[in-house]
Amino acid sequence: METRLAKADDTLLDEAAEILKSGGIAAVPTETVYGLAANAYDVEAVRSVFRAKGRPQDNPLILHISSVDMLCDIAESVCPLALRLAENFWPGPLTMIFPRKKHVPAETCGGLDTAAVRMPKNGFTLKLIEKCGFPIAAPSANTSGKPSPTSAHHVFEDMNGKIPLIADGGACSFGVESTVICFENDERVRILRPGAVTPEMLREFCDTVIDSGVLGKLEPDAKVLSPGMKYKHYSPDAEVYILKGSTKAIEDHLKSKATGKTGYLGFGNEAIPADVVIFPYGRTSGEQAENLFASLRKADEAGCTTVYVRMPETSGIGLAVYNRLLRAAGFRIIDTESGESDAL
Ligand code: AMP
Ligand code: MG
């Protein structure tokens, strides 16, 4: 199949809608990462998404909507707190989990009796959902396990020949996937995956608990609230390690360990030995979120076999950066001050 890359503007909406209405799949931009879109109510279309990504069948998809009416068509019930959060954070990078109605296919939801729902902010994709009139299931448009795509070019790398259309909306503004929450009661939410809607932002409205799977390693057979958390994720081909410690200790570590095939994702303020390939991923947490996946992909393109990444701040959107990085690194952290190495 030939894969067409086309600018995501109003003239592309009809073509993209036709593909989705006839059971096909297409990649679309969102404010988080690019999504691989299909009609969430069409079991065959949803199966093609799992196939194109190589995604495990029990890892459920997020249903993207364009109106609260669509939410009511999916969710068996919506608590008042969910409505308040929707009013404040939608359209935007917040995914909420609801008990699902019976007509929502089990395949879309990885066999669970719940459905994850969000309203994306990207103008093209929001209009596309409106035009289609059904919710769009749209997991990240990467090969399962690889770093998520934050540009149309990244999608092309993974999906060329597998899908007919990639709608190019430029670089994604946040660069990490949405925050995923479920409701413990009408006053408290559990964060299953951190994102650009931060715990600090949610605390303005309710209590928050951060699920142990966000920063902890899960056993392969552990029972988890969010199946996606148990899989290896976001990983380039290179071996990734997180480096903890002062700028000086990190510089010393790189000097002693670097070979010609070593990459380093730092903040941009380190003195790096000549034989390390540098991909600074930003000084602020926002920049780090925006650049993390692209930098990991660049390290692979440069042929690096080992990539060291400087430990990010973990507050605000930094928690999302750290969550993705832990999985990309298989939870391997090196403390450059003590020389100790943790595999959590
Ligand atoms: P992706 O679409 O690749 O961004 O991944 C979606 C994430 O949402 C995965 O981590 C899923 O496990 C999680 N998710 C989707 N639906 C549900 C659900 N019904 N219950 C819990 N987690 C979900
Ligand atoms: Mg994904």
Side-chain angles (χ1 to χ4, degrees), residues 7 13 23 38 57 70 77 96 104 133 164 198 210 224 241-242 265 272 276-277 291 294 298 307 309:
K7 190 156 187 263
L13 278 172
Q57 302 269 325
M70 268 191 192
S77 61
M96 298 191 262
V104 179
T198 62
I210 297 179
V224 289
Y241 296 86
I242 299 172
L265 273 60
I272 307 297
V276 173
V277 196
N291 297 322
K298 277 186 203 152
V307 179
V309 186

Side-chain angles (χ1 to χ4, degrees), residues 33 53 55 59 139-142 148 177 193 233-234:
V33 301
K53 279 182 63 68
R55 183 172 173 111
N59 191 1
S140 49
N142 53 313
S148 299
E177 303 83 347
R193 179 175 73 183
H233 245 131
Y234 320 118

Side-chain angles (χ1 to χ4, degrees), residues 53 55 59-62 97 109 112 114-116 138-140 177 180 192-193 225-229 233:
K53 279 182 63 68
R55 183 172 173 111
N59 191 1
L61 309 182
I62 294 171
I97 294 175
C109 302
L112 300 174
T114 52
S140 49
E177 303 83 347
V180 179
L192 302 177
R193 179 175 73 183
L225 287 169
S226 177
M229 291 195 303
H233 245 131

Side-chain angles (χ1 to χ4, degrees), residues 240-244 309 311 322 325-326 329 332-334:
V240 179
Y241 296 86
I242 299 172
L243 292 185
K244 215 156 97 175
V309 186
M311 165 107 181
Y322 188 43
L325 203 45
L326 279 172
R332 290 176 301 206
I333 303 174
I334 297 169

